[in-house]
């Protein structure tokens, strides 16, 4: 009999969004006449831009002739995409090297798989509430995590405790689920803390494209010293509507080196290259052709137009909550609106209440951690008509 990875026994039975999908499925089966509006999982609803679609078609055509056919791609991804990522960073005032960029199938896989580079004995810091992938993947690995409280008192932007030592720090800004975004000064404190503690920051910037405040950093590498202590994960899921197409990128700086117990120097870029070349054969050429088109001027303009649409949805949701006198966070610089459940309801109770009475699906804050138990998350990624309709029903209910 195989000995199984019993760390899986320590996980909740279902992944958060799978649990929500099961509950919604049960509701729709029992109530086929009700029009359910889904503002739960952060999944986009607008089609890909024309420029990307054309590039995807061209990618397919390449596969049809022996002159242009592509087999296995380069280990870190095609240069056309990695160079485009470098230029994208440059436009945001950050300089990185194409050799530090790894094209991935999205930030979820890479933020999950990165745990393999770290030993069990680390102190791993995650905020509470948090994107459940960071916690679940560490549990699967048999690792313990330490929580740092994000709450209304600190505007859901916790800061490091100079008296506590940690080794691995997970951060997400703009934050999923709370929508809160760190400014330069706050990120500098985290970078200085990581450098002083010889710690590494795993920085998820999947929602950077939603930043509208020009003073907010869109990358941890905008902060001096970050290249010696941080890895950044980004995704085209939200930037370009690639939730179903799948493509992202991870930046692992060459300067990110630590000393092994043998005294040998270990480079995280070299380790990640070794990991990816062993376990991952890259993103399909067709998808990378589409990804390269995202970064062209026209491609970016099309993406920005879609982002503006989702931002407007977020505003519609936020305005309704404000009108109702419900305290909320996010909604600006973020597609997510994180709010206190009306009447201090527990978040899963509120989930059921909203589903049963307004046929609206959101995400219960408890799914992101203890500090979310009286909070709820709605997303701006729905279509306009549904978002307006959902908030009309919400307005009538409370
Ligand atoms: C979310 O709803 O939190 C996100 O869509 C999850 C993800 O990007 O994997």
């Amino acid at each position: 009999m195989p000995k199984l990875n019993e760390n899986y026994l320590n996980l909740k039975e279902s992944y958060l969004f799978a649990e929500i999908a099961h509950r919604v499925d049960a509701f729709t089966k029992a109530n086929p006449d009700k029009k359910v509006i889904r503002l739960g999982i952060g999944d986009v609803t607008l089609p890909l831009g024309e420029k990307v679609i054309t590039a995807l078609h061209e990618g397919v055509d390449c596969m049809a002739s022996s002159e242009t056919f592509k087999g296995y791609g380069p280990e870190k991804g095609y240069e056309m995409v990695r160079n485009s990522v470098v230029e994208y960073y440059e436009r945001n005032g950050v300089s990185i090297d194409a050799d530090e960029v790894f094209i991935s199938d999205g930030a979820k896989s890479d933020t999950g798989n990165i745990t393999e580079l770290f030993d069990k004995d680390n102190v791993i810091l995650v905020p509470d509430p948090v994107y459940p992938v960071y916690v679940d993947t560490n549990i699967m690995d048999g690792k313990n995590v330490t929580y740092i409280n994000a709450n209304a008192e600190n505007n859901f932007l916790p800061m490091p405790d100079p008296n506590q030592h940690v080794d691995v720090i997970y951060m997400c800004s703009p934050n999923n689920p709370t929508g809160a975004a760190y400014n330069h000064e706050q990120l500098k404190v985290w970078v200085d803390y990581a450098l002083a503690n010889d710690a590494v920051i795993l920085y998820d910037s999947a929602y950077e494209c939603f930043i509208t405040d020009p003073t907010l950093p869109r990358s941890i590498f905008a902060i001096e010293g970050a290249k010696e202590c941080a890895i950044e994960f980004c995704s085209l899921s939200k930037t370009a509507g690639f939730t179903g197409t799948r493509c992202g990128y991870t930046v692992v700086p060459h300067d990110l080196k630590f000393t092994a117990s043998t005294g040998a120097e270990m480079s995280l870029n070299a380790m990640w290259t070794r990991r990816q070349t062993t376990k991952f054969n890259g993103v399909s050429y067709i998808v990378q052709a589409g990804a390269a088109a995202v970064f062209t001027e026209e491609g970016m303009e099309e993406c920005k137009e879609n982002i503006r649409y989702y931002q407007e949805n977020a505003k519609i949701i936020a305005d309704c909550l404000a009108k109702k006198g419900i305290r909320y966070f996010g909604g600006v610089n973020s597609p997510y609106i994180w709010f206190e459940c009306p009447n201090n309801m527990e978040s899963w109770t509120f989930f059921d209440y909203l589903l049963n009475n307004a046929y609206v699906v959101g995400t219960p804050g408890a799914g992101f951690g203890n500090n979310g138990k009286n909070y709820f998350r709605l997303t701006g990624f729905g279509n306009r008509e549904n978002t307006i309709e959902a908030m009309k029903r919400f307005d009538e209910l409370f």
Side-chain angles (χ1 to χ4, degrees), residues 15 17 40-43 108 131 176 207 238 336 368 377:
Y15 179 60
F17 294 105
I41 192 163
D43 195 4
K108 181 178 187 173
Y131 179 40
N176 179 13
Y207 299 93
K238 317 294 153 102
Y336 295 128
F368 299 102
R377 194 193 77 176

Side-chain angles (χ1 to χ4, degrees), residues 218-343:
R218 298 174 71 132
S219 161
I220 185 100
F221 301 126
I223 312 301
E224 201 192 331
K227 285 198 186 149
E228 283 129 67
C229 66
I231 293 177
E232 180 156 284
F233 305 89
C234 204
S235 165
L236 297 188
S237 285
K238 317 294 153 102
T239 307
F242 268 48
T243 51
T245 311
R246 307 306 312 150
C247 195
Y249 49 92
T250 295
V251 182
V252 190
H254 288 304
D255 289 344
L256 200 52
K257 291 178 180 150
F258 295 93
T259 310
S261 56
T262 59
E265 189 178 72
M266 293 182 84
S267 144
L268 287 183
N269 183 294
M271 286 173 78
W272 190 239
T273 304
R274 188 71 177 83
R275 191 269 172 207
Q276 292 296 78
T277 48
T278 307
K279 296 197 179 183
F280 184 56
N281 259 334
V283 177
S284 79
Y285 172 77
I286 299 163
V287 168
Q288 291 195 59
V294 165
F295 294 101
T296 60
E297 213 179 309
E298 271 172 287
M300 247 317 125
E301 208 28 69
E302 287 173 353
C303 292
K304 282 185 184 156
E305 203 179 309
N306 287 0
I307 291 164
R308 283 192 287 271
Y309 176 95
Y310 297 134
Q311 282 165 331
E312 183 59 30
N313 285 348
K315 187 170 179 316
I316 290 166
I317 297 170
D319 285 351
C320 173
L321 295 172
K323 177 179 154 202
K324 298 265 136 208
I326 295 172
R327 183 155 70 151
Y328 70 91
F329 298 81
V332 181
N333 303 308
S334 166
Y336 295 128
I337 300 94
W338 176 251
F339 61 95
E340 287 172 343
C341 299
N343 309 322

Side-chain angles (χ1 to χ4, degrees), residues 35 118 141 196 204 212 236 264 268 282 375 387-388:
K35 185 190 166 198
F118 304 104
D141 259 12
D204 186 345
T212 44
L236 297 188
L268 287 183
Y375 284 86
T387 305
I388 293 171

Side-chain angles (χ1 to χ4, degrees), residues 177-191:
T178 68
Y182 283 108
N183 64 29
H184 271 267
E185 293 66 36
Q186 291 164 324
L187 278 189
K188 178 82 176 104
V189 174
W190 275 107
V191 167

